[in-house]
Every structure is written in structure tokens, then in C-alpha cells.
Amino acid sequence: MSFRMIVGLGNPGSEYADTRHNIGFRVVDAFAAKHGAEPWKKERKQKGEVALLSGSKFGKLILVKPTTFMNESGVCVQKLCSYYKIPPEEVVVVYDEINLDVGEVKLSMSGSAGGHNGLADILSRMPPRFARIRVGIGGKPDKEMPLADYVLGKFSSDDESVVSASMDRYVESIELLVALGPDLAMNQINRKRKNDDSNSI
């Protein structure tokens, strides 16, 4: 199985840039910067920003940040898959996960949206046969707090330090998946880490 499209989920606009919900954008931005992707370009018809990566050890990859708001992320993904003729099996979606601690990351190949509106919209528009890289943002500190308020809030200074320190690991998760395929990558990404050892690609 080969992967050709990496989609980071988030909301457009500077006011959302550092919110928990935009961690998908941040990870894909970091991946693009590390591997020298072309500058991001707005594809208005496809409702997303696209950066092409070619000539790398990963082959040609299409990096995507939807410019719809989170709840309509699937519009962009569906349009770009159609435009580039990419099946769901060759798509990776990177997004925030409240059921993982800050600094954690997990790879899965199936499952429900789990309350994530961006993922739910993608699942409503295309078959669920795509890879999901879930980046932990931690759970709500107060059960009564509306979920929208939490995910649209910014990380605390302590959590932001953890996110910054973990960014290499988040990027490495994409690298492992693209280079090794889901089975081998899952063994490395999802295992319990005893320390900060790394299996960089």
C-alpha cells in the first residue's frame, strides 16, 4: 500500500492558528518544511491549500490543509481525491484527539469519528479506508465545559512546551507510515515508549 495524500485538519484563519483543533495543520506544516515541499498554494475550486512534495525518498506526496472550516473538511478531501484520482486507501488524515494525552500519537486504519466533526464529515463523503494519525490534545479539564470551547482554545504554556517537544515525533509518524506501510508503522508508532528513543526514517 502506498500513500499519496497527507491531509492535516484545522480551521483557516490566524485566530485559530494555535488552537488545539489546529494541531493537524501544524503537523503537516512541519512535515512540509522538513522535507522541502513546494510553497503552499490555495486551490479555490478544491477548497484547500496544497503543497506538493516530489523528488524525496517518499516519492510524490500531496500535502493538504482544507480551507473550509473543520465541519466541512470532507468537501476539500473529496474534491482533491477526485481531482488527483487518489483512492481513500492512499490518504492519510492527521487530526487532534481528546482521548490521548498531550504528546501522544496513534495510528489507526479504521474506526468511528469519535465525536470529531472534521473526521465525521470526511467519513460522510468517502469510504472509511484511509489512515488516521491521531495527535493527543488531552481531555477537557472540566466535564461541564463544552467540547467546542475546549478544542478551540489554546494549549496551556506547559502543554504547548510538550507539543513543541513532540513535533518531531508527530512528523516521524507520517514518515514511518509512508515509508513502511501501516502494519510495520503501527508497531512503532503505537507502542509504549519507555524513553525518547527514536526510529527516524
Side-chain angles (χ1 to χ4, degrees):
M1 180 184 295
S2 62
F3 294 95
R4 296 167 57 200
M5 180 182 291
I6 314 296
V7 182
L9 299 189
N11 285 306
S14 58
E15 65 268 38
Y16 297 106
D18 296 322
T19 61
R20 296 178 180 91
H21 227 14
N22 271 42
I23 192 68
F25 275 12
R26 292 176 65 180
V27 173
V28 173
D29 275 332
F31 182 88
K34 179 178 179 179
H35 293 289
E38 294 178 11
W40 290 96
K41 294 182 179 179
K42 285 190 176 181
E43 299 289 350
R44 298 188 185 280
K45 289 185 178 179
Q46 283 77 39
K47 300 185 181 298
E49 288 189 41
V50 173
L52 300 179
L53 175 62
S54 57
S56 76
K57 56 190 172 185
F58 302 114
K60 184 176 181 180
L61 294 176
I62 300 160
L63 310 181
V64 178
K65 295 186 293 183
T67 53
T68 58
F69 282 92
M70 181 68 83
N71 292 4
E72 293 188 331
S73 298
V75 174
C76 169
V77 178
Q78 184 183 50
K79 285 179 177 291
L80 283 168
C81 284
S82 176
Y83 181 76
Y84 286 106
K85 296 179 172 57
I86 295 176
E89 293 86 352
E90 297 178 2
V91 176
V92 182
V93 179
V94 185
Y95 62 97
D96 54 295
E97 174 59 76
I98 64 169
N99 294 314
L100 291 176
D101 291 338
V102 177
E104 288 301 303
V105 60
K106 297 289 183 184
L107 168 64
S108 60
M109 300 301 296
S110 62
S112 69
H116 193 286
N117 290 337
L119 191 65
D121 193 62
I122 295 172
L123 288 168
S124 75
R125 299 175 190 274
M126 58 189 280
R129 300 187 299 272
F130 53 88
R132 306 102 190 269
I133 291 179
R134 300 180 291 131
V135 181
I137 61 169
K140 296 185 297 180
D142 178 359
K143 291 183 179 180
E144 302 302 318
M145 183 181 191
L147 179 60
D149 289 350
Y150 180 68
V151 298
L152 294 178
K154 296 187 177 183
F155 290 104
S156 67
S157 58
D158 287 346
D159 283 352
E160 179 59 42
S161 295
V162 175
V163 169
S164 297
S166 303
M167 190 58 65
D168 286 346
R169 186 181 175 207
Y170 304 152
V171 169
E172 182 188 68
S173 297
I174 300 175
E175 296 169 343
L176 288 167
L177 177 57
V178 174
L180 303 179
D183 293 337
L184 291 175
M186 200 174 293
N187 289 337
Q188 296 196 39
I189 296 168
N190 294 358
R191 77 179 192 277
K192 293 291 185 182
R193 292 165 68 91
K194 295 180 181 179
N195 50 45
D196 290 330
D197 65 318
S198 176
N199 288 280
S200 298
I201 294 296

